[in-house]
Amino acid sequence: MLDTSAKPTGKAADVTGPSGTPSRRQRRRTAKVGEQVPRHLRAHRTAYLMITPMVVLLGIFVLWPLAYAFYLSFFEISFYKDAEFVGLDFYTFVLTDPDFYDSLFVGLKLALMVVPTILVLALLLASFIATLSKRMAAFMKTTVYVPAVVSSVVAAIIFVFIYQDEGFANWFIGLFGQGPLAWLNTATTALPAVAVPAVWLGFGVSTLIMLAGILDIPESYFESAQLDGANFWQRTWYITIPSLRNVILFLLVTGVTLTIQEFQLPLVMTNGGPVNATNTPNLYIFNSFRDGTPYATSYSLTAALLLFLVIGTISVIIFRVVSSEKSSDA
Amino acid sequence: MRLRRLRVLVVAAAAAGSLVVAGCNSDSGSSGGSGDSGGTAEITFWQQQFEPYQQKWFKAHVDKFNASQTAVKVKYQVVPGDTWQQKLKAAQAAGTQPDVATTNYGGIPAGVANGQFAELDGLLPDKAWSDIKENVAGFVKVDGKHYAYPMLVEPSTVLYYRTDLVKAAGLDPNAPPKTWDELLTWAEKLTKGKVKGMTIASVAPDLGWSSWGLQYNACGHLPINDDWSAANAKDPCYTKLFEFYQTLFQKGWIPQQPKVGYPDATPYGQGQVAMMANGSWAVGQLKQSFPALIKNTAVAPFPSIDGDASKPTATLGGWTLTVDSKSKRKEAAAKFIEYLLAGDPAIMADFFRQSGFSKYTVRTSVDQALANDPAATSDPFMKIISEKVVATGKAEPAYPFDISLAFATAIESVMKGKSDIPAATQKASDAIDRVIKQQRLKGTAPKG
């Protein structure tokens, strides 16, 4: 709160000196105002100054476009005519379009297939790597990380070949007298078929993050448990997983939000088909945008903003349901 | 604290994603980015990427045009089809859109309604317009005014078949199927081992446009009223169309996982299928990439629902050149179009020769130029396609593709057993009605 006791009186002493330097009273006021700034803000002044450029850039390149996008969503945008104000029309259009909900449902189903699979695989693999010698662990870490550096477009093309009639997938099920299956052209198999490369691309990084978390758990916990006769599964269930709570939460939130927004894999592998079975929200928005009319531009913009709200809400729900805690050693 | 951090993260992530869309703002900026230098008007020309020979042809004639005079200089750029809309929208938002661009017939009415194209009537001489064939003239007109100059037409659906395989299956290659039922019989008999009986579109984006001709064939109309006031997708006359596609897919007479899209003739060229439904452009691909197959290939009009050859089975798609309404050099742009598409008939005749006579002229004078060309008159496919397919072809519909996609999704849904015909057509009908309402289409059907 500002110091209101120092009201201006109009006396000579309050007036700025002839040289333009602040009077004694003004200096006192400035000092008092400075003292009113909370101590923690004053203590971190340098830090705030250092992050200022980033905040400004964030404002210019993230917050302002976002706010402007919300503003534009109330217009039918044309590049040749004045934009027409249509109020909430496009929100109504998107929210009454069954295809929008279908795409969200597809995104959620994909996340449900991909994220838990990655978490389980990463946990098991990280627990295994943690038990290896230094040299073997280094080799395994490099190996599991390799898919992470493969372009998802390349991965998509590779998996398209794998799913072909004469591809590896059909050869493999053929060993059991099954198939061939039209993996990418049947509504029931297309989404799981897209989920497989998504898991392949994502589990390497998750394993390394999980491994870092495991290596942070004090070795004494495991030694004590082992002395008490706990086997690998018991140690994992009672020590590793609870200790990795925050890591798992991080992987869960980022995994769900990224998977719902999966775009390149379904675009290259199925273009959203068959019968929209792999039409993820971003692909739906992208295909809506690829039409030359002002309607298409405004519609896809509004759908993108609504998707932002949906994913934000899902993230908040996950945080609420799986609340994080401080590490036991923190 | 955690929540605040989360909010910042969520806002940052989503905003970054929105940047691309937000970048396409509604600034009604200035015209194209081309400039003038030393009395020469520079214009930009964007061509959507087509078959490789087309790029060569365009490049060669742009160079010739630039060398032929000093008043106009064309800056030529090829843009891949899958990035065309994004790139064009970004340029329109920035005010750097091209002066001249390739535009398909179906995109003209919507572009005119949006104010995107300049009227060309005063910019091209009358004789250029009178040279256009009567059945195509209406494709480039909206409310009686010309907004594009047509380049070619290409029917979307022709039947190609392997005469050697047909003979081997005990069928008569000189008596191709005339009805859909006969075609199904041929497809069944020609499916042997790894060779499928035929190939046809089987995914919604391809079905959306490649089935227009067959929709006309089945019902005499498309799944929307003539004045675009209501959906007409539940008409029982479509039942046979759905069953035709469904039988082909579910009996396994077409590839279950097509490796390429409908316009690509590779599976036929590589001997994976015995028959192929494809556009006339496939002739060019076969001649250039699979020349050995030509002697064993015959073409025929695609069969009709009941054998009536006068009913359309194909739509006539094709490309035009348009001038942007914001171009500051409309006269210069029109001069280029006049040179390339509407001037010396030999230039376009050269184009059709390059295409292997897989596309068809829209100008009477070019027809005359080709009539004296032995390569054209002796072509085994040209006569059949131009006289029996182009002659009965209908113009592509000008309504938004969302309508085509809604109906095509219904076809795909029935094909792949996702839903039955009544449920699929009801869904398509609802979707089409929604498009009509949201895009305010009622009463906006172009009258030519």
Side-chain angles (χ1 to χ4, degrees):
Chain A
M1 193 186 285
L2 289 171
D3 180 11
T4 50
S5 63
K7 291 190 174 74
T9 59
K11 288 179 186 170
D14 292 339
V15 180
T16 307
S19 61
T21 53
S23 67
R24 193 185 312 159
R25 188 179 180 110
Q26 279 174 318
R27 279 200 300 273
R28 198 169 66 234
R29 254 181 91 182
T30 312
K32 281 197 171 184
V33 169
E35 281 163 17
Q36 294 303 314
V37 176
R39 186 186 293 269
H40 73 277
L41 286 181
R42 274 182 282 144
H44 299 117
R45 191 180 295 160
T46 312
Y48 288 121
L49 280 173
M50 287 174 77
I51 64 165
T52 299
M54 198 59 225
V55 170
V56 171
L57 288 174
L58 201 70
I60 294 171
F61 292 108
V62 177
L63 298 178
W64 164 243
L66 186 63
Y68 193 55
F70 268 107
Y71 167 75
L72 286 178
S73 66
F74 299 112
F75 292 86
E76 185 165 298
I77 306 159
S78 169
F79 303 117
Y80 289 87
K81 294 175 176 173
D82 290 337
E84 184 187 346
F85 180 76
V86 292
L88 292 169
D89 275 7
F90 279 98
Y91 286 92
T92 313
F93 296 161
V94 176
L95 292 172
T96 54
D97 190 340
D99 289 345
F100 177 69
Y101 295 103
D102 285 350
S103 74
L104 288 175
F105 192 50
V106 167
L108 285 170
K109 274 200 291 186
L110 187 65
L112 210 61
M113 290 176 197
V114 171
V115 179
T117 312
I118 285 182
L119 288 181
V120 172
L121 280 178
L123 180 64
L124 292 176
L125 206 57
S127 302
F128 172 66
I129 293 171
T131 64
L132 297 175
S133 66
K134 227 176 182 179
R135 182 177 287 183
M136 271 307 289
F139 172 74
M140 282 298 290
K141 279 191 274 187
T142 311
T143 308
V144 297
Y145 188 70
V146 165
V149 294
V150 174
S151 150
S152 60
V153 174
V154 172
I157 293 168
I158 292 169
F159 275 84
V160 166
F161 281 108
I162 288 173
Y163 291 127
Q164 281 302 321
D165 290 345
E166 299 84 23
F168 174 79
N170 277 324
W171 170 82
F172 183 73
I173 63 168
L175 296 177
F176 305 97
Q178 304 294 316
L181 279 179
W183 294 95
L184 296 174
N185 209 13
T186 310
T188 47
T189 55
L191 196 61
V194 171
V196 173
V199 170
W200 184 70
L201 288 166
F203 89 96
V205 173
S206 303
T207 302
L208 293 189
I209 292 171
M210 207 83 97
L211 180 63
I214 289 174
L215 294 176
D216 236 16
I217 303 170
E219 192 59 32
S220 56
Y221 290 9
F222 294 106
E223 286 167 0
S224 305
Q226 226 161 353
L227 285 174
D228 289 341
N231 61 28
F232 173 81
W233 298 109
Q234 286 169 321
R235 291 198 301 274
T236 303
W237 187 253
Y238 293 109
I239 299 173
T240 311
I241 292 178
S243 303
L244 288 178
R245 191 178 181 141
N246 290 347
V247 173
I248 291 170
L249 177 66
F250 168 77
L251 292 175
L252 195 63
V253 174
T254 52
V256 168
T257 51
L258 288 174
T259 311
I260 290 176
Q261 297 187 75
E262 185 62 65
F263 171 70
Q264 286 174 335
L265 290 175
L267 174 73
V268 176
M269 294 175 74
T270 56
N271 195 21
V275 201
N276 296 332
T278 56
N279 200 21
T280 55
N282 270 347
L283 187 53
Y284 168 75
I285 291 166
F286 177 69
N287 283 329
S288 303
F289 182 70
R290 295 169 79 178
D291 192 89
T293 63
Y295 173 87
T297 309
S298 299
Y299 184 92
S300 50
L301 169 70
T302 311
L305 291 169
L306 284 168
L307 176 65
F308 155 64
L309 291 178
V310 169
I311 291 176
T313 307
I314 290 171
S315 304
V316 170
I317 290 170
I318 294 175
F319 268 92
R320 291 275 181 206
V321 173
V322 192
S323 57
S324 61
E325 286 174 356
K326 281 201 168 185
S327 157
S328 52
D329 285 346
Chain B
M1 187 65 178
R2 277 199 312 271
L3 248 175
R4 205 178 309 149
R5 219 178 292 146
L6 165 71
R7 273 187 213 127
V8 172
L9 270 175
V10 170
V11 168
S18 307
L19 263 174
V20 175
V21 182
C24 302
N25 71 36
S26 61
D27 182 14
S28 51
S30 59
S31 65
S34 48
D36 296 345
S37 58
T40 301
E42 262 190 18
I43 58 163
T44 47
F45 165 41
W46 282 14
Q47 181 230 323
Q48 204 167 123
Q49 189 169 10
F50 302 116
E51 299 97 324
Y53 70 83
Q54 289 214 43
Q55 278 68 251
K56 277 187 202 163
W57 180 85
F58 273 109
K59 172 84 173 60
H61 287 283
V62 165
D63 289 345
K64 278 185 188 171
F65 174 73
N66 285 340
S68 70
Q69 41 74 53
T70 53
V72 182
K73 187 181 178 194
V74 177
K75 286 170 78 180
Y76 169 62
Q77 192 179 344
V78 180
V79 180
D82 55 352
T83 59
W84 177 266
Q85 274 303 340
Q86 297 93 295
K87 198 170 160 59
L88 189 63
K89 279 191 184 187
Q92 287 168 343
T96 57
Q97 67 281 355
D99 298 281
V100 179
T102 46
T103 304
N104 65 321
Y105 292 119
I108 293 169
V112 172
N114 189 28
Q116 188 179 337
F117 304 129
E119 188 195 323
L120 297 180
D121 284 298
L123 297 173
L124 285 161
D126 289 345
K127 66 173 184 186
W129 300 114
S130 59
D131 197 18
I132 300 172
K133 292 179 184 177
E134 233 171 76
N135 64 335
V136 179
F139 293 8
V140 290
K141 274 198 284 192
V142 175
D143 293 333
K145 293 174 182 168
H146 293 99
Y147 287 92
Y149 198 88
M151 183 173 179
L152 56 95
V153 288
E154 41 191 356
S156 59
T157 317
V158 179
L159 180 69
Y160 300 79
Y161 57 96
R162 287 273 299 272
T163 51
D164 53 338
L165 297 180
V166 165
K167 266 186 219 161
L171 299 162
D172 180 4
N174 297 315
K178 291 201 164 39
T179 66
W180 290 355
D181 286 337
E182 285 173 23
L183 183 63
L184 291 176
T185 307
W186 274 46
E188 182 183 9
K189 289 187 174 173
L190 289 166
T191 300
K192 276 181 187 159
K194 286 189 175 176
V195 178
K196 297 287 183 186
M198 69 177 295
T199 179
I200 195 168
S202 64
V203 295
D206 280 347
L207 283 163
W209 57 272
S210 69
S211 70
W212 283 328
L214 303 188
Q215 292 169 31
Y216 272 123
N217 197 278
C219 288
H221 62 75
L222 295 165
I224 183 171
N225 283 359
D226 285 345
D227 65 349
W228 293 2
S229 62
N232 196 4
K234 292 191 287 181
D235 196 328
C237 56
Y238 282 125
T239 304
K240 188 134 190 186
L241 177 78
F242 284 92
E243 288 171 348
F244 170 68
Y245 278 107
Q246 187 185 38
T247 307
L248 283 171
F249 185 82
Q250 293 193 356
K251 296 278 187 187
W253 298 337
I254 58 174
Q256 301 295 286
Q257 293 194 98
K259 295 182 182 73
V260 293
Y262 174 81
D264 193 333
T266 303
Y268 179 85
Q270 291 179 341
Q272 295 162 18
V273 295
M275 293 190 289
M276 166 174 74
N278 208 328
S280 66
W281 54 83
V283 168
Q285 189 184 355
L286 294 178
K287 282 180 178 174
Q288 288 177 16
S289 303
F290 308 99
L293 207 60
I294 294 297
K295 68 176 190 302
N296 286 328
T297 293
V299 299
F302 198 83
S304 73
I305 188 168
D306 54 7
D308 182 351
S310 66
K311 287 180 179 172
T313 50
T315 47
L316 299 180
W319 293 91
T320 70
L321 291 187
T322 48
V323 176
D324 195 274
S325 63
K326 286 195 208 163
S327 169
K328 287 179 180 164
R329 298 161 199 88
K330 293 188 182 76
E331 289 79 12
K335 259 194 176 58
F336 169 62
I337 293 176
E338 186 186 345
Y339 168 86
L340 192 70
L341 302 188
D344 182 358
I347 294 177
M348 282 310 296
D350 178 49
F351 174 84
F352 293 111
R353 208 172 292 117
Q354 299 292 326
S355 80
F357 307 106
S358 61
K359 297 166 197 293
Y360 299 89
T361 170
V362 293
R363 289 170 53 201
T364 314
S365 58
V366 179
D367 253 349
Q368 287 160 358
L370 288 171
N372 303 321
D373 185 338
T377 50
S378 64
D379 186 84
F381 310 126
M382 189 174 170
K383 192 174 164 63
I384 294 171
I385 295 176
S386 63
E387 288 180 7
K388 294 185 177 174
V389 184
V390 175
T392 59
K394 297 273 272 181
E396 285 182 355
Y399 49 63
F401 194 68
D402 308 62
I403 289 173
S404 304
L405 199 57
F407 195 71
T409 304
I411 297 176
E412 188 185 11
S413 189
V414 171
M415 271 176 108
K416 294 170 186 174
K418 187 94 194 296
S419 56
D420 58 20
I421 296 172
T425 50
Q426 180 62 54
K427 200 173 173 193
S429 183
D430 292 344
I432 293 169
D433 281 336
R434 206 167 42 247
V435 173
I436 290 169
K437 189 179 163 206
Q438 293 177 357
Q439 304 197 30
R440 292 172 283 184
L441 296 180
K442 188 177 178 181
T444 61
K447 307 207 168 35

